[in-house]
Amino acid sequence: MDECEHDFLDNVCQKCNLVMENYFDKKYNNLDNVRDINKYNLIDQLQNIPPKIISIAKKNIIRKQNETGKKVRNDKKQTFIQLYEAAIESGINFDPTIITRQLKLSKKDINWCIKEVSQTSLVPSVHEEASQPIYIVIISPVVYIEDICKKIELESEIEKLKDLTEKIMEKKDILYSFKPNYIACGIVKSFCIKNDIQIKGFSRKNNISDNALNKAVINVEEFFQ
């Protein structure tokens, strides 16, 4: 850490993740504090997170604390929320399961976090740089139905399956914490099984493993009994 040639972006070193909190002492008018948060910040314990996302998350945490006068809790749920928001803001195509697996969040916790982000992200920040609010988009399995049906030549059932998927998601919203394309595959596969529609190579055509497909089917099986 001491040997790092710091390269700060928005008060965060891009090389070692050192966060600089700069404020001026009233008496001496000097830079008073540079703080290394690596020892206790959960964000710094995670691996394989793009540096840009880390930087944005830390910048946002500092901003939120300055705006509200309250500390952002350093727990697993808040860590996921801050990184999830930062990933959306960064525009980087990033798989959030990389975060959830390391934090060992339950599906219930993930669902709570996503709902929390969706509710609060529509409120614009009051900090000077904000020109518009950041919107979090939760992708529904519905958007994958048409593509899946075309791959298995089931175009005639597209609209029926879209309607069915919407109803399933309304009744079991915890499914939003799973990969949406996997849930969509599970719904289509379950529909085929129930209606005795034989589809060869379903997993291969939709780029999903047999194991993942079986789990997805189990997650929605209550709607096809």
Side-chain angles (χ1 to χ4, degrees), residues 134-148:
I134 298 169
Y135 294 91
I136 302 300
V137 178
I138 299 177
I139 300 176
S140 170
V142 175
V143 303
Y144 293 95
I145 295 297
E146 183 172 348
D147 183 57
I148 294 171

Side-chain angles (χ1 to χ4, degrees), residues 108-152:
K108 183 178 180 180
D109 288 339
I110 296 170
N111 189 50
W112 181 89
C113 289
I114 292 176
K115 282 188 174 182
E116 188 72 12
V117 170
S118 300
Q119 292 168 2
T120 60
S121 62
L122 300 182
V123 180
S125 169
V126 297
H127 71 297
E128 295 179 358
E129 297 177 359
S131 57
Q132 59 183 12
I134 298 169
Y135 294 91
I136 302 300
V137 178
I138 299 177
I139 300 176
S140 170
V142 175
V143 303
Y144 293 95
I145 295 297
E146 183 172 348
D147 183 57
I148 294 171
C149 288
K150 287 181 177 180
K151 288 179 179 178
I152 61 174

Side-chain angles (χ1 to χ4, degrees), residues 59-191:
K59 178 191 69 175
N60 288 343
I61 288 173
I62 292 173
R63 170 180 57 76
K64 290 175 182 178
Q65 291 179 161
N66 289 338
E67 290 176 357
T68 64
K70 298 179 181 179
K71 287 285 186 181
V72 174
R73 294 183 61 180
N74 183 37
D75 59 25
K76 294 181 178 181
K77 289 182 180 179
Q78 276 301 321
T79 296
F80 173 79
I81 288 172
Q82 301 309 319
L83 289 171
Y84 189 82
E85 289 179 332
I88 298 296
E89 184 176 347
S90 72
I92 295 175
N93 185 14
F94 179 72
D95 183 359
T97 59
I98 295 175
I99 303 172
T100 59
R101 288 171 183 168
Q102 293 184 68
L103 293 175
K104 297 181 180 180
L105 290 173
S106 67
K107 292 180 176 65
K108 183 178 180 180
D109 288 339
I110 296 170
N111 189 50
W112 181 89
C113 289
I114 292 176
K115 282 188 174 182
E116 188 72 12
V117 170
S118 300
Q119 292 168 2
T120 60
S121 62
L122 300 182
V123 180
S125 169
V126 297
H127 71 297
E128 295 179 358
E129 297 177 359
S131 57
Q132 59 183 12
I134 298 169
Y135 294 91
I136 302 300
V137 178
I138 299 177
I139 300 176
S140 170
V142 175
V143 303
Y144 293 95
I145 295 297
E146 183 172 348
D147 183 57
I148 294 171
C149 288
K150 287 181 177 180
K151 288 179 179 178
I152 61 174
E153 300 180 358
L154 196 64
E155 288 91 338
S156 61
E157 305 293 344
I158 288 176
E159 294 306 318
K160 182 185 294 185
L161 279 163
K162 283 184 177 181
D163 290 340
L164 176 60
T165 302
E166 288 181 352
K167 292 177 181 177
I168 289 174
M169 300 308 293
E170 287 177 1
K171 294 180 180 179
K172 193 175 181 180
D173 61 1
I174 196 173
L175 293 175
Y176 280 111
S177 63
F178 295 85
K179 290 184 177 180
N181 55 323
Y182 283 18
I183 294 300
C185 283
I187 291 172
V188 175
K189 180 65 175 180
S190 298
F191 177 85

Side-chain angles (χ1 to χ4, degrees), residues 169-216:
M169 300 308 293
E170 287 177 1
K171 294 180 180 179
K172 193 175 181 180
D173 61 1
I174 196 173
L175 293 175
Y176 280 111
S177 63
F178 295 85
K179 290 184 177 180
N181 55 323
Y182 283 18
I183 294 300
C185 283
I187 291 172
V188 175
K189 180 65 175 180
S190 298
F191 177 85
C192 291
I193 293 173
K194 183 175 181 179
N195 293 280
D196 295 321
I197 301 173
Q198 300 297 320
I199 303 294
K200 293 183 179 180
F202 187 101
S203 299
R204 175 179 52 80
K205 292 176 180 178
N206 288 284
N207 195 28
I208 181 174
S209 68
D210 290 336
N211 185 46
L213 179 60
N214 290 334
K215 289 181 178 179

